[in-house]
Amino acid sequence: MSSSGIIGESRVNDPVTIVIFGATGDLTHRKLIPALYIAFIQDMLPGKFTIVGFARRDYDDAAFQGMMAESIKEFSRIPTEDEAVERFVKHIHYHKGDISSDAAYDELRYKFEDVERFPENRLFYLSIIPDLFETAVRSLKRSRLVDAPGGKQWSRVVIEKPFGRDLESAISLNNTLLQYLDESQIYRIDHYLGKETVQNILSFRFANAIFEPVFNRSYVDHIQITAAETVGMEKGRGGYYDEYGALRDMVTNHLLQLLCLVTMEAPGDLSAESIRNEKVKVLNAMKLDVRKNISDAVCRGQYGGGMDETGKEIKGYLDEDRINPDSDTDTFTAMRLSINNWRWAGVPILLRTGKRMAKKTTEVAVQFKVPPLQLFQQVQCEDDVCDITRIKPNTLIFRIQPNEGIFLKVGTKRPGMRFVVEDVKMDFSYSGKWRNSLPEAYERLLLDTLHGDSTLFTRSDEVAAEWNVVQPILDNLDRLKPYSYEPGEWGAPEADWLFHGVEGKWRNK
Ligand code: BG6
């Protein structure tokens, strides 16, 4: 099982029943069902498959199918055809039940005796609040809806983040899950790993020989990763977000995963275990770069109210729905890390993420050192008007979204009589090379779970290692009160301080 890592494009052969817990939730509507529909029309799903929506509300199959058809039409990334949508939704079935009630699972088990309609390979997708993970997994085991691995049929369980809220709870959640399931049956989803551009970091680094020799402390000045969003609290999200905040919502998973991919050593092969072993190794070497005080290495922020460019009022975080009015939850977090290994020792690593920032953008920028001898003058020009600037370092930018691509900033002689250097961007963008829209992360990840490929899913020791990196922040929250920042800015300006002693600043682009 879980050994290929490059299955991707092939069709799933095993007949399967996919059960979605939390089937009336947003993720199901926006992502899961549209992703399965696309897999269906691309002929990636097996000949025999059934999708079961499990939730508490009172629907019958027809009503639920109708809702799912609407979701597909609204959220599919490619234009839909009514006839194909109709054919697809016929595979969907609704099961009304309460996740906490044994009877709901027993009824499902009873239903599943019709193996013609409900194939015995089963994928359970837990799109539910984390407090219910344990109940769901225990009940699945008790009712024999999941079997131990190694039998004729397989059972797998997909879990959505957050995997715990600190190191201790993450370890305890792992232990609980492992009481009922084998590690090989658990797929902890981090949708960033399903993004093409994120996977491309590995390909770019290890399929090309020219960059790897300079990816280390001798040549790299610093690395900065930004995941900025313009949205605030989307409808209904406040309750969850106020409990977790930016650090737990984005850093302990997406941002640290991005960092792993840019800094890990090359795996010996592309198997799930080899890749994840390397990620765990580099995670274990990561530390907050605390000199005297933790606030030298961490900056937390919370957005206040303001106006957008059309003059419309933007609510401050504390005025958003379902937010505690005294909350000191972070809607912005920035930090400085170091990686204590031979390759990266001494290279500052800067991460930041936040809501209500200036732009929706996610990127990883590797900034190289400036040349040892400054022979040229650098200029920054607009048409023919140029300013003399300091020599600019080369920067390699992995643009995760939007405008997906890879850019390399280099200095080039500006045409003319004088020997001056201007920055240009060598630019590869996906849209320039491939016309089709990029697959959604969930399309790839769902197919991987059906193939049994766990390369792009987080292993239990990886989750614990991620929490371990940020645990000192969680232990010191009372010393890290969030600074207020204005919506539409680049988060709390105090985060600039994290660059102390570094040649550079946040790329606010
Ligand atoms: C989710 C977070 O995991 O990622 C959200 O819970 C965030 O708060 C989202 O908005 C961002 O994902 P993307 O793919 O839009 O960068």
Side-chain angles (χ1 to χ4, degrees):
M1 232 201 266
S2 68
S3 61
S4 143
I6 47 167
I7 292 172
E9 236 81 46
S10 60
R11 183 173 199 255
V12 177
N13 290 323
D14 296 348
V16 63
T17 302
I18 301 168
V19 186
I20 303 177
F21 284 60
T24 50
D26 224 34
L27 187 74
T28 310
H29 283 277
R30 284 173 181 271
K31 300 285 182 190
L32 303 181
I33 292 290
L36 286 167
Y37 166 75
I38 288 177
F40 172 73
I41 55 167
Q42 292 179 338
D43 207 20
M44 300 288 205
L45 292 183
K48 244 185 179 182
F49 73 94
T50 301
I51 299 168
V52 179
F54 184 127
R56 252 190 326 203
R57 289 192 212 156
D58 212 1
Y59 295 118
D60 58 16
D61 284 357
F64 190 64
Q65 287 172 358
M67 278 164 44
M68 294 301 111
E70 289 310 309
S71 305
I72 294 168
K73 289 176 193 163
E74 188 174 351
F75 296 113
S76 166
R77 86 181 146 86
I78 48 185
T80 55
E81 283 172 24
D82 288 351
E83 178 276 332
V85 174
E86 278 313 304
R87 260 191 304 125
F88 173 73
V89 298
K90 290 223 170 72
H91 290 261
I92 301 181
H93 176 92
Y94 186 74
H95 183 78
K96 174 176 184 294
D98 182 343
I99 291 174
S100 316
S101 127
D102 284 351
Y105 297 81
D106 293 337
E107 282 156 22
L108 197 60
R109 169 87 219 170
Y110 178 67
K111 225 174 238 179
F112 283 2
E113 281 173 14
D114 179 355
V115 294
E116 270 308 299
R117 183 158 183 215
F118 299 101
E120 289 171 282
N121 297 309
R122 293 182 193 132
L123 181 77
F124 294 95
Y125 198 114
L126 305 189
S127 174
I128 52 179
I129 55 166
D131 293 356
L132 289 174
F133 285 164
E134 179 174 355
T135 312
V137 173
R138 189 182 344 101
S139 307
L140 287 173
K141 187 73 182 181
R142 185 201 59 80
S143 56
R144 289 177 294 109
L145 281 159
V146 293
D147 291 326
K152 256 183 28 214
Q153 267 76 36
W154 51 256
S155 324
R156 297 175 192 143
V157 178
V158 184
I159 294 178
E160 274 283 339
K161 65 166 236 297
F163 315 121
R165 44 179 297 107
D166 54 20
L167 179 59
E168 192 184 339
S169 59
I171 293 176
S172 141
L173 173 65
N174 277 335
N175 291 342
T176 306
L177 296 178
L178 292 170
Q179 274 176 41
Y180 307 108
L181 300 167
D182 186 76
E183 176 67 34
S184 65
Q185 297 178 292
I186 307 173
Y187 289 72
R188 296 176 194 79
I189 212 162
D190 180 322
H191 80 278
Y192 265 53
L193 293 178
K195 291 181 192 274
E196 273 296 329
T197 40
V198 173
Q199 293 160 34
N200 194 29
I201 298 176
L202 271 196
S203 322
F204 184 86
R205 285 189 59 200
F206 301 129
N208 298 298
I210 59 167
F211 289 105
E212 225 15 55
V214 293
F215 255 57
N216 56 49
R217 67 180 195 288
S218 307
Y219 296 95
V220 174
D221 182 78
H222 72 267
I223 298 177
Q224 53 174 292
I225 302 184
T226 296
E229 296 183 88
T230 50
V231 291
M233 286 307 97
E234 289 153 302
K235 201 164 144 261
R237 263 212 118 204
Y240 152 81
Y241 197 87
D242 204 33
E243 285 250 325
Y244 285 85
L247 176 72
R248 293 180 168 107
D249 186 47
M250 293 289 289
V251 179
T252 43
N253 33 67
H254 309 327
L255 265 67
L256 288 181
Q257 285 292 331
L258 289 177
L259 181 55
C260 282
L261 297 174
V262 240
T263 56
M264 66 188 246
E265 295 301 320
D269 55 48
L270 282 185
S271 71
E273 294 323 320
S274 300
I275 292 183
R276 298 192 295 183
N277 288 345
E278 291 305 334
K279 287 205 272 173
V280 170
K281 260 203 252 165
V282 75
L283 276 167
N284 284 337
M286 289 177 197
K287 295 268 169 323
L288 279 178
D289 193 1
V290 177
R291 305 284 160 98
K292 285 198 185 128
N293 298 307
I294 186 137
S295 53
D296 300 339
V298 181
C299 172
R300 300 169 73 237
Q302 190 181 75
Y303 61 84
M307 282 210 227
D308 70 11
E309 61 280 6
T310 65
K312 207 174 115 220
E313 193 201 333
I314 297 177
K315 277 189 190 166
Y317 178 69
L318 298 179
D319 296 323
E320 299 265 23
D321 253 8
R322 300 178 61 208
I323 301 296
N324 172 356
D326 302 320
S327 171
D328 58 10
T329 295
D330 50 327
T331 61
F332 169 85
T333 281
M335 68 190 64
R336 174 165 165 162
L337 303 174
S338 59
I339 299 181
N340 298 336
N341 64 17
W342 199 257
R343 187 195 277 265
W344 294 114
V347 177
I349 311 280
L350 296 123
L351 311 183
R352 66 175 171 171
T353 182
K355 302 276 185 200
R356 286 268 182 249
M357 290 177 65
K359 223 173 134 184
K360 166 91 179 158
T361 178
T362 306
E363 64 162 43
V364 177
V366 179
Q367 183 169 315
F368 294 91
K369 297 191 169 166
V370 287
L373 193 60
Q374 310 232 335
L375 294 174
F376 304 102
Q377 273 189 323
Q378 171 110 22
V379 292
Q380 190 166 352
C381 304
E382 227 162 86
D383 299 326
D384 279 340
V385 183
C386 300
D387 287 328
I388 294 182
T389 66
R390 306 175 60 179
I391 279 283
K392 300 255 179 73
N394 300 132
T395 313
L396 179 66
I397 299 147
F398 296 93
R399 179 60 70 86
I400 309 299
Q401 62 194 14
N403 187 16
E404 291 84 352
I406 297 180
F407 310 107
L408 180 63
K409 265 180 41 191
V410 290
T412 305
K413 180 179 174 306
R414 185 176 165 82
M417 303 298 282
R418 290 185 59 196
F419 238 128
V420 292
V421 170
E422 186 177 349
D423 255 2
V424 296
K425 212 152 80 178
M426 292 171 122
D427 170 337
F428 148 68
S429 71
Y430 279 80
S431 59
K433 164 87 179 149
W434 292 290
R435 299 266 165 266
N436 294 344
S437 65
L438 291 174
E440 277 269 343
Y442 281 94
E443 293 170 30
R444 165 71 197 251
L445 295 174
L446 277 165
L447 284 173
D448 281 356
T449 59
L450 297 176
H451 279 297
D453 183 348
S454 50
T455 310
L456 300 178
F457 296 81
T458 323
R459 206 169 60 189
S460 59
D461 52 344
E462 214 174 329
V463 171
E466 287 175 343
W467 283 109
N468 197 34
V469 176
V470 304
Q471 190 58 42
I473 305 181
L474 299 173
D475 292 339
N476 285 287
L477 286 181
D478 51 337
R479 293 162 61 197
L480 291 166
K481 293 287 177 214
Y483 296 101
S484 178
Y485 63 93
E486 289 188 20
E489 298 293 322
W490 285 96
E494 288 79 0
D496 292 353
W497 164 244
L498 298 177
F499 276 81
H500 51 85
V502 182
E503 259 303 299
K505 50 186 185 177
W506 293 111
R507 283 172 39 82
N508 290 342
K509 297 200 168 149

